[in-house]
Amino acid sequence: MLPDILILATSPSAAVNQQLERHYTCHHAWQVAAEQRAAWLQERADRIRAVVTTGALGLNAADMAALPALEIIAVNGVGLDAVDLDAARARGIAVTTTPNVLTDDVADVALGLLLASTRHIALLDRFVRDGAWERREAVKPASSLRGKTAGIFGFGQIGQAIALRLAAFGVQVRYYQPRAKPGVDAPRAESLLALAHESDYLIVCAPGTPATRHAVNAEVLTALGPQGTLVNIARGALIDEAAMIAALAEGRLGAAGLDVFADEPRVPAALRALPNVVLTPHIGSLTVETRHAMGQLVVDNLQAHFAGQPLPTPVKL
């Protein structure tokens, strides 16, 4: 008999989905109406040995408790803030993610958001579409990236990939994270607040944890200043969203490029109404190539687990 697995979100890769259907008995929770899901899951909970989820959806302790046969949680993504790791550790449930394969695409989106914000690309797109150019209305000059300083909060693989791209634009880079990163040339700021003071741009790449929740607060935003630009491709919870909206509306923060939000997919109307913000719907890794590679890692981890082999990308619990 094929192992039963619970799939909370489907992969955009048809090849990945075909492999899952071929090797497992798949139960697709995402196809079930929300009001029917609890009863639907209860009927098959005792048979579920694996859960395929995403970084945003995760799996909480209550959901794990409802799955007595659960052996592995395969996260299609790198975020773990929505997975109750303590509960998984206590149960001996393995957890895997899909690291490395999404680094470049997420870094590309960070640069895209920075360019769109500093060069007013989204605003200028509307300027042309609305006929303002044809009416000869004035265009406000944008700001060049050359000679500026970017502070990167969180200098892991994605942060360093962003730094590499920024160098091609003539942007100086510095970073902050609690522990210094060995073997890197970029200087480390003494604190996140100091990083904001020293930077024209602040790019958020840190992991979403209780320790980093609202790390980018009103004081940090004020330090970044009215000419500063904030970019977030990490997790919405790292930024005090209410403080950011107020700073942008009042001109205490110049602009923002955001791919993640505090309560996705719900984005505050006040934020959507601001002209100095570029918004994308958490699509940092959303390319055909990367989503296939991520999904393949999910398959590879499941295959290794059920074959009794070492997991390709386990999370240390």
Side-chain angles (χ1 to χ4, degrees):
M1 293 180 62
L2 300 177
D4 288 71
I5 70 172
L6 177 65
I7 300 178
L8 301 185
T10 189
S11 170
S13 169
V16 166
N17 294 326
Q18 289 166 6
Q19 290 179 73
L20 291 173
E21 295 292 344
R22 184 164 61 249
H23 295 293
Y24 306 101
T25 298
C26 297
H27 303 274
H28 295 278
W30 58 276
Q31 293 179 334
V32 181
E35 63 273 13
Q36 301 172 356
R37 198 168 296 164
W40 174 87
L41 182 57
Q42 189 173 12
E43 293 176 1
R44 46 192 48 79
D46 290 346
R47 307 196 303 274
I48 300 298
R49 297 175 61 189
V51 170
V52 175
T53 185
T54 66
L57 291 174
L59 198 70
N60 61 36
D63 291 334
M64 288 184 217
L67 302 171
L70 184 61
E71 302 170 15
I72 182 171
I73 301 166
V75 179
N76 194 341
V78 294
L80 287 168
D81 44 306
V83 178
D84 193 319
L85 297 179
D86 290 336
R89 185 186 303 110
R91 285 266 304 273
I93 298 169
V95 180
T96 64
T97 57
T98 59
N100 307 324
V101 295
L102 52 72
T103 298
D104 286 328
D105 279 339
V106 175
D108 289 347
V109 167
L111 262 292
L113 287 170
L114 180 62
L115 281 167
S117 301
T118 58
R119 294 300 306 268
H120 306 164
I121 290 173
L123 279 173
L124 293 173
D125 175 84
R126 293 194 292 272
F127 184 86
V128 175
R129 292 176 188 274
D130 294 344
W133 189 23
E134 189 175 355
R135 293 192 298 271
R136 307 291 194 217
E137 294 182 16
V139 180
K140 182 181 178 181
S143 177
S144 174
L145 268 68
R146 289 188 307 278
K148 301 298 194 304
T149 298
I152 300 179
F153 175 32
F155 212 55
Q157 289 185 336
I158 294 175
Q160 291 178 59
I162 292 170
L164 184 65
R165 286 155 173 76
L166 288 169
F169 286 89
V171 177
Q172 300 297 313
V173 170
R174 56 186 63 243
Y175 77 96
Y176 172 74
Q177 60 182 32
R179 294 182 180 178
K181 196 76 177 179
V184 301
D185 294 330
R188 174 179 173 268
E190 293 183 357
S191 66
L192 178 56
L193 183 60
L195 184 71
H197 273 297
E198 298 163 2
S199 302
D200 300 290
Y201 315 129
L202 180 62
I203 303 175
V204 181
C205 305
T209 67
T212 58
R213 177 176 170 77
H214 288 187
V216 181
N217 55 24
E219 188 177 15
V220 170
L221 295 168
T222 297
L224 188 56
Q227 303 303 317
T229 297
L230 175 68
V231 172
N232 189 7
I233 46 82
R235 284 289 186 267
L238 274 75
I239 296 175
D240 183 335
E241 199 164 77
M244 176 184 66
I245 292 170
L248 287 163
E250 296 165 10
R252 292 182 286 107
L253 175 63
L258 308 171
D259 187 46
V260 290
F261 307 90
D263 186 25
E264 298 174 359
R266 290 162 289 276
V267 178
L271 184 57
R272 288 186 275 123
L274 290 169
N276 51 343
V277 179
V278 178
L279 309 171
T280 53
H282 201 154
I283 47 75
S285 63
L286 188 57
T287 65
V288 171
E289 297 83 359
T290 288
R291 286 300 171 92
H292 173 75
M294 291 168 66
Q296 189 60 56
L297 260 180
V298 168
V299 172
D300 294 346
N301 277 294
L302 291 174
Q303 295 286 74
H305 172 77
F306 288 113
Q309 298 172 351
L311 300 174
T313 53
V315 174
K316 294 182 180 179
L317 298 177

